[in-house]
Amino acid sequence: MACTIAETGLVACPRCDLLHREPDRAENCTVSCSRCGVVLATPRAGAFTRVFVLALTAMILMVAAVYFPFLELQVAGLNNRTSVLDAILAFSSGLLLPLSVALAAFIVLIPSLRFAAVAYTLWPLVFDRPPFQYARPAFRLAERLRPWAMAEIFVLGVSVALVKVAGMASVGLGPAFWAFCALVVVAALHDNFMCRRTILKSLEQNAQ
Amino acid sequence: MVYPPLAGTCTRCGSALHSRAPLSLQRTIAWLLAGLIAYVPASIYPMLLTSTLFERQESTILGGVVDLLHHGSFGDAVIVFVASVVIPIGKFLAILYLVRAVGQHRALSAHQRQLMLEIVEFIGRWSMIDVFVVAILSALVQLDSVATINPGIAAVSFALSVVFTMLAAQSLDSRLIWDGSETGT
């Protein structure tokens, strides 16, 4: 299917389709579309290593976030400990079961899969080796999953729930809560350092 | 990279190439309708089932707002109303407007419409917060007979509505917004 095409030296804006001349390889500066303003490339020195390490960190934090106790509710001598898993399983009865599956995906599975795919893509590039065989589809998957990874929304949901419960009972925050907060920060840094264009270009150049 | 028309797949990343995403508007409208339909049970049926020693209460989204008003917490009532009613309906209207406005000159320029699409795409994911709050409350407040909170069926339809609206916004090819608009800057 793929046609061979000559290098035109042109870049089409993925958002508004305006054609640009390919920018010279400038590091540490952001190239944006001159019409709609979307960022076309943000190449940064050492970004691969940073993104790779941040993806690994995020995966480790995710294990901690799922495994350790998350919140503890205490009222009048009764208490209830909750892990992230319990929150996911809150919907596991009857008709609500599909929602449990969706929650597990949004909060844990999709973010983990995304970080794993990015790590898989970048691992060889960090060590100046040719990329793995399925690096391109893995990276494409990671980019497609991006809007569906909702760990940061979950953390905000937790704080809203805490405000609601705070009046009636005392709530203790477990290690998993802090792991999740750290995960959100790490994920934000990870996305911030990632330049799609630079990664895809390196995959192409290093493949030969 | 730039390809001639009908190039098939991108040689760099391997995704399928289209000048404009096929059936973009039809897909958007279809997902939007699905989102609207799912929003109906989400607002009719209860979202939370709260039971304490003395009473059992089912609260819908609007019911919750009314309750907050009765308790005199107007600030909270406004926040919940905006987050669960105004924003979802606003998203439906915004996507509908963007689809209708494709290829036409409207009061809003392409820049403003692009911004609108981005806001819808950004806010779309955050609407899921309602569902997460219900999940956390239901997991946390399980104190046997004293107080329990359980999720209602509306949580499922609300989540579906959010997902469908996200898909609607993603199906809208933003390049259509710019077609026939001013050239250059």
Side-chain angles (χ1 to χ4, degrees):
Chain A
M1 273 294 270
C3 308
T4 49
I5 30 141
E7 272 288 341
T8 52
L10 291 174
V11 187
C13 170
R15 205 164 69 176
C16 74
D17 227 12
L18 187 69
L19 285 179
H20 298 263
R21 223 167 263 124
E22 181 123 27
D24 293 332
R25 187 154 309 164
E27 290 230 310
N28 297 321
C29 74
T30 303
V31 184
S32 312
C33 171
S34 63
R35 181 164 67 176
C36 71
V38 74
V39 174
L40 297 175
T42 50
R44 272 188 242 199
F48 286 2
T49 317
R50 277 188 214 178
V51 173
F52 175 67
V53 171
L54 287 169
L56 285 187
T57 315
M59 283 193 285
I60 294 167
L61 284 172
M62 185 59 94
V63 174
V66 174
Y67 188 72
F68 288 121
F70 191 60
L71 298 169
E72 193 174 9
L73 184 76
Q74 284 176 320
V75 57
L78 289 167
N79 70 349
N80 181 33
R81 258 196 194 167
T82 310
S83 69
V84 173
L85 213 57
D86 293 326
I88 290 167
L89 292 175
F91 295 126
S92 62
S93 59
L95 271 175
L96 298 165
L97 185 64
L99 195 53
S100 260
V101 178
L103 276 194
F106 288 145
I107 303 170
V108 178
L109 300 179
I110 292 181
S112 310
L113 187 59
R114 204 184 138 222
F115 292 126
V118 169
Y120 173 84
T121 310
L122 289 181
W123 190 353
L125 297 182
V126 169
F127 299 106
D128 285 323
R129 300 239 178 88
F132 290 132
Q133 194 183 354
Y134 298 107
R136 286 193 325 176
F139 186 66
R140 218 166 61 225
L141 177 74
E143 283 298 304
R144 287 202 64 173
L145 290 179
R146 202 171 186 153
W148 304 101
M150 299 187 178
E152 75 274 28
I153 301 172
F154 179 70
V155 168
L156 200 74
V158 171
S159 27
V160 173
L162 287 184
V163 171
K164 284 196 176 185
V165 176
M168 310 180 257
S170 64
V171 183
L173 303 173
F177 178 79
W178 301 112
F180 235 107
C181 291
L183 177 74
V184 169
V185 175
V186 169
L189 286 173
H190 168 273
D191 291 355
N192 195 30
F193 279 118
M194 180 126 91
C195 174
R196 237 178 90 93
R197 220 181 126 67
T198 318
I199 292 175
L200 285 170
K201 265 186 139 174
S202 309
L203 285 181
E204 188 181 49
Q205 280 158 3
N206 296 351
Q208 288 112 33
Chain B
M1 285 203 269
V2 176
Y3 288 84
L6 306 172
T9 37
C10 173
T11 49
R12 182 177 284 167
C13 75
S15 19
L17 288 169
H18 306 286
S19 169
R20 299 293 175 265
L23 300 175
S24 166
L25 297 183
Q26 283 93 325
R27 276 169 210 237
T28 308
I29 289 292
W31 286 123
L32 186 68
L33 276 179
L36 259 174
I37 292 168
Y39 189 71
V40 175
S43 41
I44 294 176
Y45 290 105
M47 194 92 165
L48 276 180
L49 314 168
T50 318
S51 35
T52 59
L53 276 180
F54 315 103
E55 54 172 349
R56 210 180 128 74
Q57 199 188 354
E58 299 191 340
S59 40
T60 58
I61 294 175
L62 272 177
V65 175
V66 174
D67 273 354
L68 285 171
L69 280 179
H70 277 303
H71 285 101
S73 35
F74 295 103
D76 292 350
V78 169
I79 292 174
V80 175
F81 185 69
V82 168
S84 320
V85 181
V86 177
I87 288 182
I89 292 177
K91 275 189 301 187
F92 295 137
L93 293 178
I95 294 176
L96 197 62
Y97 171 82
L98 289 171
V99 169
R100 294 288 309 270
V102 160
Q104 296 183 21
H105 284 283
R106 291 287 176 107
L108 294 183
S109 70
H111 279 102
Q112 287 162 324
R113 281 188 239 158
Q114 176 71 52
L115 185 68
M116 204 163 158
L117 179 62
E118 256 161 70
I119 292 173
V120 169
E121 272 192 90
F122 178 80
I123 291 189
R125 311 169 58 229
W126 285 92
S127 295
M128 204 54 112
I129 196 169
D130 280 322
V131 181
F132 290 159
V133 170
V134 171
I136 298 155
L137 284 178
S138 322
L140 198 56
V141 186
Q142 290 294 343
L143 300 168
D144 299 326
S145 52
V146 179
T148 55
I149 293 183
N150 286 308
I153 194 75
V156 178
S157 30
F158 193 86
L160 277 178
S161 174
V162 172
V163 168
F164 290 152
T165 321
M166 280 175 73
L167 287 167
Q170 284 177 16
S171 320
L172 187 56
D173 189 340
S174 63
R175 291 172 293 192
L176 292 171
I177 292 176
W178 295 89
D179 286 343
S181 76
E182 76 275 44
T183 49
T185 52

